[in-house]
Amino acid sequence: MSLGTSLTTPSFSPHDKPQREWDRAKLREQKDPYEVLGVQRDATDAQIKKAFRSLALRYHPDKNPNESENEKFNDINAAYELLSDPDAKKHYDAYGD
């Protein structure tokens, strides 16, 4: 006996993921994401990830209760979020926003 419904898995594209617009808007206002992470513009994905992990450990709020360090941590996360997404990185490199 068939219920007449099929089970399908919805397809998702990279554009379907939730965006943290407040982080990206703040990053655009203040700093170049490459400078935030301390990497060159031609850095590989592995170099970007390594820089992010190093800075995230250093400035994580659990390790640094200082408010200014929390802001730095947010900047680091926003920069990595932008540079780790190939489409967003390509757009940033082309247009700067």
Side-chain angles (χ1 to χ4, degrees):
M1 178 163 39
S2 173
L3 297 175
T5 61
S6 64
L7 298 175
T8 59
T9 306
S11 63
F12 294 99
S13 74
H15 303 290
D16 293 337
K17 69 181 179 180
Q19 300 293 318
R20 296 177 61 188
E21 289 300 323
W22 62 272
D23 279 344
R24 287 188 177 181
K26 181 179 175 187
L27 182 64
R28 272 187 249 133
E29 290 173 5
Q30 293 182 355
K31 300 174 185 127
D32 176 29
Y34 293 100
E35 288 180 21
V36 171
L37 295 178
V39 295
Q40 299 293 321
R41 286 195 168 273
D42 60 351
T44 65
D45 291 340
Q47 290 170 324
I48 291 170
K49 187 174 187 175
K50 183 177 180 179
F52 164 73
R53 287 183 177 206
S54 173
L55 291 170
L57 284 173
R58 184 183 314 163
Y59 291 103
H60 193 278
D62 289 344
K63 293 191 176 195
N64 288 304
N66 188 348
E67 279 297 316
S68 65
E69 303 298 319
N70 289 343
E71 286 296 316
K72 178 77 172 169
F73 182 73
N74 289 337
D75 291 344
I76 292 164
N77 278 329
Y80 182 68
E81 182 178 334
L82 182 95
L83 296 179
S84 65
D85 179 352
D87 293 331
K89 182 179 184 227
K90 185 176 180 180
H91 179 80
Y92 182 84
D93 289 343
Y95 303 108
D97 63 359

